[in-house]
Amino acid sequence: MPTDPVGRFLTALDPEHREAVRSRPREEQEHLAAAWERELESDTELDSLDELSPPAAEAEAARRVLRNEPG
């Protein structure tokens, strides 16, 4: 299991989005991973989901980050 933020973020993504994010420059990947970590820390709904299934909470946060990404 990856321990760096980008690796953890990529793991939380579904395979299609994972490949799309991997094709981006490293700087963009780091930006998305930082947004993902902020989402995990700040959203109280994810806290409840995290208690039941940490991978599900991480995946939901990853989906939200990509959905809210400008562009």
Side-chain angles (χ1 to χ4, degrees):
M1 173 179 236
T3 57
D4 69 292
V6 172
R8 289 180 51 238
F9 174 64
L10 290 171
T11 299
L13 292 169
D14 62 77
E16 180 182 325
H17 288 108
R18 186 177 307 131
E19 291 308 313
V21 171
R22 273 194 182 127
S23 70
R24 296 181 183 194
R26 180 69 181 189
E27 185 175 299
E28 282 186 43
Q29 293 179 27
E30 291 171 353
H31 174 76
L32 289 168
W36 173 72
E37 287 188 318
R38 285 190 302 274
E39 182 74 18
L40 282 171
E41 291 172 2
S42 66
D43 192 300
T44 57
E45 288 179 19
L46 290 175
D47 287 342
S48 298
L49 182 58
D50 187 51
E51 289 179 20
L52 299 172
S53 174
E58 290 181 351
E60 176 58 25
R63 281 190 292 277
R64 290 178 185 183
V65 166
L66 291 181
R67 184 175 53 235
N68 294 328
E69 183 184 21

mmCIF file of all heavy atoms in Angstrom, residues 2-38:
data_model
loop_
_atom_site.group_PDB
_atom_site.id
_atom_site.type_symbol
_atom_site.label_atom_id
_atom_site.label_comp_id
_atom_site.label_asym_id
_atom_site.label_seq_id
_atom_site.Cartn_x
_atom_site.Cartn_y
_atom_site.Cartn_z
ATOM 1 N N PRO A 2 0.640 2.159 -0.914
ATOM 2 C CA PRO A 2 1.454 3.377 -0.981
ATOM 3 C C PRO A 2 1.296 4.224 0.274
ATOM 4 O O PRO A 2 0.226 4.268 0.872
ATOM 5 C CB PRO A 2 0.896 4.124 -2.190
ATOM 6 C CG PRO A 2 0.014 3.176 -2.904
ATOM 7 C CD PRO A 2 -0.376 2.113 -1.936
ATOM 8 N N THR A 3 2.373 4.894 0.636
ATOM 9 C CA THR A 3 2.319 5.767 1.812
ATOM 10 C C THR A 3 2.397 7.244 1.445
ATOM 11 O O THR A 3 2.037 8.080 2.257
ATOM 12 C CB THR A 3 3.463 5.436 2.790
ATOM 13 O OG1 THR A 3 4.699 5.550 2.099
ATOM 14 C CG2 THR A 3 3.300 4.036 3.354
ATOM 15 N N ASP A 4 2.852 7.559 0.225
ATOM 16 C CA ASP A 4 2.909 8.965 -0.164
ATOM 17 C C ASP A 4 1.510 9.424 -0.585
ATOM 18 O O ASP A 4 0.689 8.613 -1.027
ATOM 19 C CB ASP A 4 3.924 9.187 -1.285
ATOM 20 C CG ASP A 4 3.470 8.578 -2.599
ATOM 21 O OD1 ASP A 4 3.398 7.328 -2.694
ATOM 22 O OD2 ASP A 4 3.162 9.352 -3.528
ATOM 23 N N PRO A 5 1.204 10.710 -0.436
ATOM 24 C CA PRO A 5 -0.144 11.200 -0.737
ATOM 25 C C PRO A 5 -0.594 10.917 -2.172
ATOM 26 O O PRO A 5 -1.736 10.535 -2.394
ATOM 27 C CB PRO A 5 -0.060 12.704 -0.476
ATOM 28 C CG PRO A 5 1.065 12.861 0.475
ATOM 29 C CD PRO A 5 2.040 11.762 0.138
ATOM 30 N N VAL A 6 0.282 11.083 -3.147
ATOM 31 C CA VAL A 6 -0.104 10.838 -4.533
ATOM 32 C C VAL A 6 -0.432 9.363 -4.733
ATOM 33 O O VAL A 6 -1.440 9.016 -5.343
ATOM 34 C CB VAL A 6 0.992 11.310 -5.516
ATOM 35 C CG1 VAL A 6 0.665 10.868 -6.942
ATOM 36 C CG2 VAL A 6 1.147 12.824 -5.461
ATOM 37 N N GLY A 7 0.391 8.491 -4.210
ATOM 38 C CA GLY A 7 0.142 7.058 -4.332
ATOM 39 C C GLY A 7 -1.163 6.645 -3.673
ATOM 40 O O GLY A 7 -1.931 5.850 -4.223
ATOM 41 N N ARG A 8 -1.431 7.191 -2.502
ATOM 42 C CA ARG A 8 -2.684 6.880 -1.803
ATOM 43 C C ARG A 8 -3.884 7.411 -2.582
ATOM 44 O O ARG A 8 -4.915 6.741 -2.688
ATOM 45 C CB ARG A 8 -2.660 7.461 -0.392
ATOM 46 C CG ARG A 8 -1.693 6.732 0.533
ATOM 47 C CD ARG A 8 -1.658 7.294 1.951
ATOM 48 N NE ARG A 8 -2.978 7.414 2.523
ATOM 49 C CZ ARG A 8 -3.502 8.560 2.982
ATOM 50 N NH1 ARG A 8 -2.795 9.670 2.964
ATOM 51 N NH2 ARG A 8 -4.714 8.592 3.497
ATOM 52 N N PHE A 9 -3.753 8.617 -3.140
ATOM 53 C CA PHE A 9 -4.828 9.192 -3.943
ATOM 54 C C PHE A 9 -5.093 8.332 -5.173
ATOM 55 O O PHE A 9 -6.242 8.000 -5.475
ATOM 56 C CB PHE A 9 -4.466 10.628 -4.342
ATOM 57 C CG PHE A 9 -5.441 11.261 -5.298
ATOM 58 C CD1 PHE A 9 -6.754 11.497 -4.925
ATOM 59 C CD2 PHE A 9 -5.038 11.629 -6.560
ATOM 60 C CE1 PHE A 9 -7.650 12.086 -5.802
ATOM 61 C CE2 PHE A 9 -5.927 12.224 -7.454
ATOM 62 C CZ PHE A 9 -7.239 12.448 -7.071
ATOM 63 N N LEU A 10 -4.028 7.941 -5.868
ATOM 64 C CA LEU A 10 -4.192 7.107 -7.053
ATOM 65 C C LEU A 10 -4.864 5.780 -6.701
ATOM 66 O O LEU A 10 -5.712 5.285 -7.451
ATOM 67 C CB LEU A 10 -2.837 6.861 -7.730
ATOM 68 C CG LEU A 10 -2.215 8.074 -8.415
ATOM 69 C CD1 LEU A 10 -0.793 7.760 -8.860
ATOM 70 C CD2 LEU A 10 -3.061 8.525 -9.606
ATOM 71 N N THR A 11 -4.513 5.211 -5.575
ATOM 72 C CA THR A 11 -5.114 3.951 -5.139
ATOM 73 C C THR A 11 -6.607 4.122 -4.876
ATOM 74 O O THR A 11 -7.402 3.207 -5.136
ATOM 75 C CB THR A 11 -4.402 3.432 -3.876
ATOM 76 O OG1 THR A 11 -3.024 3.191 -4.201
ATOM 77 C CG2 THR A 11 -5.028 2.154 -3.365
ATOM 78 N N ALA A 12 -7.019 5.286 -4.395
ATOM 79 C CA ALA A 12 -8.424 5.534 -4.083
ATOM 80 C C ALA A 12 -9.287 5.719 -5.328
ATOM 81 O O ALA A 12 -10.506 5.558 -5.263
ATOM 82 C CB ALA A 12 -8.546 6.763 -3.185
ATOM 83 N N LEU A 13 -8.654 6.027 -6.445
ATOM 84 C CA LEU A 13 -9.404 6.255 -7.682
ATOM 85 C C LEU A 13 -9.816 4.951 -8.342
ATOM 86 O O LEU A 13 -9.139 3.926 -8.198
ATOM 87 C CB LEU A 13 -8.543 7.051 -8.670
ATOM 88 C CG LEU A 13 -8.229 8.485 -8.305
ATOM 89 C CD1 LEU A 13 -7.156 9.036 -9.225
ATOM 90 C CD2 LEU A 13 -9.484 9.342 -8.381
ATOM 91 N N ASP A 14 -10.896 5.010 -9.136
ATOM 92 C CA ASP A 14 -11.254 3.848 -9.937
ATOM 93 C C ASP A 14 -10.218 3.739 -11.071
ATOM 94 O O ASP A 14 -9.520 4.715 -11.384
ATOM 95 C CB ASP A 14 -12.681 3.968 -10.478
ATOM 96 C CG ASP A 14 -12.847 5.158 -11.404
ATOM 97 O OD1 ASP A 14 -12.417 5.072 -12.571
ATOM 98 O OD2 ASP A 14 -13.411 6.180 -10.951
ATOM 99 N N PRO A 15 -10.067 2.567 -11.664
ATOM 100 C CA PRO A 15 -8.998 2.355 -12.654
ATOM 101 C C PRO A 15 -8.982 3.348 -13.812
ATOM 102 O O PRO A 15 -7.914 3.799 -14.222
ATOM 103 C CB PRO A 15 -9.247 0.925 -13.161
ATOM 104 C CG PRO A 15 -9.935 0.257 -12.026
ATOM 105 C CD PRO A 15 -10.798 1.328 -11.383
ATOM 106 N N GLU A 16 -10.137 3.721 -14.325
ATOM 107 C CA GLU A 16 -10.181 4.658 -15.451
ATOM 108 C C GLU A 16 -9.608 6.017 -15.068
ATOM 109 O O GLU A 16 -8.784 6.582 -15.778
ATOM 110 C CB GLU A 16 -11.626 4.820 -15.934
ATOM 111 C CG GLU A 16 -11.765 5.760 -17.100
ATOM 112 C CD GLU A 16 -13.212 5.918 -17.520
ATOM 113 O OE1 GLU A 16 -13.974 4.941 -17.429
ATOM 114 O OE2 GLU A 16 -13.570 7.034 -17.938
ATOM 115 N N HIS A 17 -10.050 6.541 -13.928
ATOM 116 C CA HIS A 17 -9.557 7.841 -13.483
ATOM 117 C C HIS A 17 -8.097 7.751 -13.041
ATOM 118 O O HIS A 17 -7.343 8.704 -13.203
ATOM 119 C CB HIS A 17 -10.433 8.396 -12.358
ATOM 120 C CG HIS A 17 -11.771 8.846 -12.839
ATOM 121 N ND1 HIS A 17 -12.916 8.149 -12.567
ATOM 122 C CD2 HIS A 17 -12.122 9.898 -13.605
ATOM 123 C CE1 HIS A 17 -13.936 8.772 -13.137
ATOM 124 N NE2 HIS A 17 -13.480 9.835 -13.775
ATOM 125 N N ARG A 18 -7.713 6.624 -12.483
ATOM 126 C CA ARG A 18 -6.327 6.439 -12.043
ATOM 127 C C ARG A 18 -5.367 6.639 -13.216
ATOM 128 O O ARG A 18 -4.376 7.352 -13.106
ATOM 129 C CB ARG A 18 -6.164 5.045 -11.443
ATOM 130 C CG ARG A 18 -4.807 4.789 -10.834
ATOM 131 C CD ARG A 18 -4.732 3.416 -10.191
ATOM 132 N NE ARG A 18 -5.826 3.223 -9.238
ATOM 133 C CZ ARG A 18 -6.610 2.153 -9.223
ATOM 134 N NH1 ARG A 18 -6.437 1.162 -10.080
ATOM 135 N NH2 ARG A 18 -7.579 2.063 -8.328
ATOM 136 N N GLU A 19 -5.669 6.014 -14.340
ATOM 137 C CA GLU A 19 -4.797 6.138 -15.505
ATOM 138 C C GLU A 19 -4.788 7.566 -16.044
ATOM 139 O O GLU A 19 -3.748 8.068 -16.459
ATOM 140 C CB GLU A 19 -5.196 5.142 -16.592
ATOM 141 C CG GLU A 19 -4.905 3.710 -16.207
ATOM 142 C CD GLU A 19 -3.464 3.488 -15.750
ATOM 143 O OE1 GLU A 19 -2.525 3.961 -16.427
ATOM 144 O OE2 GLU A 19 -3.270 2.861 -14.695
ATOM 145 N N ALA A 20 -5.949 8.215 -16.028
ATOM 146 C CA ALA A 20 -6.028 9.599 -16.508
ATOM 147 C C ALA A 20 -5.182 10.524 -15.629
ATOM 148 O O ALA A 20 -4.471 11.401 -16.137
ATOM 149 C CB ALA A 20 -7.473 10.070 -16.536
ATOM 150 N N VAL A 21 -5.238 10.322 -14.324
ATOM 151 C CA VAL A 21 -4.458 11.163 -13.415
ATOM 152 C C VAL A 21 -2.969 10.836 -13.539
ATOM 153 O O VAL A 21 -2.131 11.738 -13.512
ATOM 154 C CB VAL A 21 -4.959 11.025 -11.961
ATOM 155 C CG1 VAL A 21 -4.025 11.722 -10.979
ATOM 156 C CG2 VAL A 21 -6.367 11.592 -11.830
ATOM 157 N N ARG A 22 -2.634 9.575 -13.694
ATOM 158 C CA ARG A 22 -1.221 9.198 -13.859
ATOM 159 C C ARG A 22 -0.588 9.846 -15.079
ATOM 160 O O ARG A 22 0.611 10.087 -15.100
ATOM 161 C CB ARG A 22 -1.090 7.678 -14.004
ATOM 162 C CG ARG A 22 -0.982 6.969 -12.718
ATOM 163 C CD ARG A 22 -0.519 5.535 -12.944
ATOM 164 N NE ARG A 22 -0.466 4.862 -11.673
ATOM 165 C CZ ARG A 22 -1.054 3.715 -11.395
ATOM 166 N NH1 ARG A 22 -1.738 3.083 -12.332
ATOM 167 N NH2 ARG A 22 -0.961 3.190 -10.208
ATOM 168 N N SER A 23 -1.392 10.126 -16.106
ATOM 169 C CA SER A 23 -0.851 10.719 -17.330
ATOM 170 C C SER A 23 -0.591 12.221 -17.176
ATOM 171 O O SER A 23 0.024 12.834 -18.038
ATOM 172 C CB SER A 23 -1.790 10.466 -18.507
ATOM 173 O OG SER A 23 -2.979 11.212 -18.366
ATOM 174 N N ARG A 24 -1.039 12.806 -16.086
ATOM 175 C CA ARG A 24 -0.837 14.238 -15.844
ATOM 176 C C ARG A 24 0.556 14.478 -15.269
ATOM 177 O O ARG A 24 1.172 13.591 -14.687
ATOM 178 C CB ARG A 24 -1.877 14.765 -14.865
ATOM 179 C CG ARG A 24 -3.284 14.683 -15.390
ATOM 180 C CD ARG A 24 -4.231 15.241 -14.377
ATOM 181 N NE ARG A 24 -5.611 15.116 -14.820
ATOM 182 C CZ ARG A 24 -6.620 15.747 -14.252
ATOM 183 N NH1 ARG A 24 -6.419 16.545 -13.214
ATOM 184 N NH2 ARG A 24 -7.852 15.584 -14.705
ATOM 185 N N PRO A 25 1.021 15.722 -15.372
ATOM 186 C CA PRO A 25 2.313 16.055 -14.758
ATOM 187 C C PRO A 25 2.277 15.822 -13.248
ATOM 188 O O PRO A 25 1.230 15.935 -12.605
ATOM 189 C CB PRO A 25 2.481 17.549 -15.066
ATOM 190 C CG PRO A 25 1.581 17.825 -16.216
ATOM 191 C CD PRO A 25 0.436 16.849 -16.090
ATOM 192 N N ARG A 26 3.437 15.512 -12.697
ATOM 193 C CA ARG A 26 3.545 15.212 -11.268
ATOM 194 C C ARG A 26 2.989 16.348 -10.403
ATOM 195 O O ARG A 26 2.332 16.110 -9.398
ATOM 196 C CB ARG A 26 5.014 14.921 -10.909
ATOM 197 C CG ARG A 26 5.251 14.608 -9.456
ATOM 198 C CD ARG A 26 4.659 13.302 -9.056
ATOM 199 N NE ARG A 26 4.882 13.051 -7.625
ATOM 200 C CZ ARG A 26 4.623 11.923 -7.037
ATOM 201 N NH1 ARG A 26 4.158 10.905 -7.717
ATOM 202 N NH2 ARG A 26 4.837 11.781 -5.749
ATOM 203 N N GLU A 27 3.234 17.579 -10.812
ATOM 204 C CA GLU A 27 2.755 18.735 -10.042
ATOM 205 C C GLU A 27 1.226 18.723 -9.930
ATOM 206 O O GLU A 27 0.669 18.999 -8.864
ATOM 207 C CB GLU A 27 3.226 20.030 -10.684
ATOM 208 C CG GLU A 27 2.883 21.271 -9.889
ATOM 209 C CD GLU A 27 3.477 22.513 -10.509
ATOM 210 O OE1 GLU A 27 4.709 22.593 -10.613
ATOM 211 O OE2 GLU A 27 2.676 23.380 -10.898
ATOM 212 N N GLU A 28 0.536 18.395 -11.013
ATOM 213 C CA GLU A 28 -0.924 18.312 -10.973
ATOM 214 C C GLU A 28 -1.374 17.165 -10.079
ATOM 215 O O GLU A 28 -2.352 17.294 -9.336
ATOM 216 C CB GLU A 28 -1.482 18.099 -12.375
ATOM 217 C CG GLU A 28 -1.528 19.338 -13.215
ATOM 218 C CD GLU A 28 -2.216 19.092 -14.545
ATOM 219 O OE1 GLU A 28 -3.265 18.408 -14.574
ATOM 220 O OE2 GLU A 28 -1.683 19.570 -15.558
ATOM 221 N N GLN A 29 -0.683 16.044 -10.150
ATOM 222 C CA GLN A 29 -1.007 14.903 -9.294
ATOM 223 C C GLN A 29 -0.878 15.296 -7.826
ATOM 224 O O GLN A 29 -1.730 14.949 -7.006
ATOM 225 C CB GLN A 29 -0.086 13.720 -9.592
ATOM 226 C CG GLN A 29 -0.290 13.113 -10.953
ATOM 227 C CD GLN A 29 0.672 11.975 -11.200
ATOM 228 O OE1 GLN A 29 1.137 11.308 -10.289
ATOM 229 N NE2 GLN A 29 0.992 11.753 -12.470
ATOM 230 N N GLU A 30 0.181 16.025 -7.485
ATOM 231 C CA GLU A 30 0.386 16.461 -6.106
ATOM 232 C C GLU A 30 -0.706 17.433 -5.666
ATOM 233 O O GLU A 30 -1.177 17.375 -4.528
ATOM 234 C CB GLU A 30 1.766 17.094 -5.956
ATOM 235 C CG GLU A 30 2.886 16.079 -6.080
ATOM 236 C CD GLU A 30 4.270 16.693 -6.155
ATOM 237 O OE1 GLU A 30 4.389 17.944 -6.247
ATOM 238 O OE2 GLU A 30 5.247 15.922 -6.149
ATOM 239 N N HIS A 31 -1.110 18.307 -6.576
ATOM 240 C CA HIS A 31 -2.190 19.258 -6.267
ATOM 241 C C HIS A 31 -3.492 18.508 -5.980
ATOM 242 O O HIS A 31 -4.191 18.814 -5.005
ATOM 243 C CB HIS A 31 -2.368 20.235 -7.434
ATOM 244 C CG HIS A 31 -3.526 21.149 -7.280
ATOM 245 N ND1 HIS A 31 -3.518 22.237 -6.433
ATOM 246 C CD2 HIS A 31 -4.761 21.126 -7.838
ATOM 247 C CE1 HIS A 31 -4.695 22.845 -6.485
ATOM 248 N NE2 HIS A 31 -5.462 22.190 -7.331
ATOM 249 N N LEU A 32 -3.829 17.537 -6.813
ATOM 250 C CA LEU A 32 -5.043 16.752 -6.611
ATOM 251 C C LEU A 32 -4.965 15.941 -5.320
ATOM 252 O O LEU A 32 -5.952 15.842 -4.580
ATOM 253 C CB LEU A 32 -5.275 15.821 -7.801
ATOM 254 C CG LEU A 32 -5.692 16.510 -9.102
ATOM 255 C CD1 LEU A 32 -5.614 15.532 -10.259
ATOM 256 C CD2 LEU A 32 -7.083 17.104 -8.978
ATOM 257 N N ALA A 33 -3.801 15.376 -5.037
ATOM 258 C CA ALA A 33 -3.634 14.594 -3.806
ATOM 259 C C ALA A 33 -3.797 15.480 -2.578
ATOM 260 O O ALA A 33 -4.411 15.071 -1.583
ATOM 261 C CB ALA A 33 -2.268 13.904 -3.791
ATOM 262 N N ALA A 34 -3.297 16.701 -2.639
ATOM 263 C CA ALA A 34 -3.453 17.630 -1.513
ATOM 264 C C ALA A 34 -4.923 17.997 -1.330
ATOM 265 O O ALA A 34 -5.422 18.050 -0.193
ATOM 266 C CB ALA A 34 -2.608 18.882 -1.740
ATOM 267 N N ALA A 35 -5.635 18.218 -2.431
ATOM 268 C CA ALA A 35 -7.064 18.521 -2.346
ATOM 269 C C ALA A 35 -7.819 17.329 -1.767
ATOM 270 O O ALA A 35 -8.753 17.493 -0.969
ATOM 271 C CB ALA A 35 -7.612 18.879 -3.724
ATOM 272 N N TRP A 36 -7.420 16.129 -2.141
ATOM 273 C CA TRP A 36 -8.033 14.902 -1.631
ATOM 274 C C TRP A 36 -7.831 14.784 -0.121
ATOM 275 O O TRP A 36 -8.769 14.492 0.615
ATOM 276 C CB TRP A 36 -7.423 13.722 -2.373
ATOM 277 C CG TRP A 36 -7.802 12.377 -1.881
ATOM 278 C CD1 TRP A 36 -9.019 11.761 -2.018
ATOM 279 C CD2 TRP A 36 -6.964 11.458 -1.197
ATOM 280 N NE1 TRP A 36 -8.972 10.511 -1.456
ATOM 281 C CE2 TRP A 36 -7.720 10.296 -0.951
ATOM 282 C CE3 TRP A 36 -5.642 11.488 -0.778
ATOM 283 C CZ2 TRP A 36 -7.190 9.186 -0.296
ATOM 284 C CZ3 TRP A 36 -5.117 10.385 -0.139
ATOM 285 C CH2 TRP A 36 -5.895 9.253 0.099
ATOM 286 N N GLU A 37 -6.620 15.061 0.340
ATOM 287 C CA GLU A 37 -6.352 14.996 1.781
ATOM 288 C C GLU A 37 -7.176 16.038 2.539
ATOM 289 O O GLU A 37 -7.697 15.759 3.614
ATOM 290 C CB GLU A 37 -4.860 15.186 2.062
ATOM 291 C CG GLU A 37 -4.053 13.972 1.660
ATOM 292 C CD GLU A 37 -2.617 14.057 2.101
ATOM 293 O OE1 GLU A 37 -2.006 15.146 1.984
ATOM 294 O OE2 GLU A 37 -2.104 13.032 2.565
ATOM 295 N N ARG A 38 -7.300 17.237 1.974
ATOM 296 C CA ARG A 38 -8.123 18.275 2.618
ATOM 297 C C ARG A 38 -9.583 17.825 2.682
ATOM 298 O O ARG A 38 -10.263 18.039 3.688
ATOM 299 C CB ARG A 38 -8.018 19.610 1.872
ATOM 300 C CG ARG A 38 -6.708 20.339 2.102
ATOM 301 C CD ARG A 38 -6.728 21.751 1.557
ATOM 302 N NE ARG A 38 -7.010 21.814 0.134
ATOM 303 C CZ ARG A 38 -6.097 21.703 -0.837
ATOM 304 N NH1 ARG A 38 -4.825 21.522 -0.520
ATOM 305 N NH2 ARG A 38 -6.444 21.786 -2.101
#
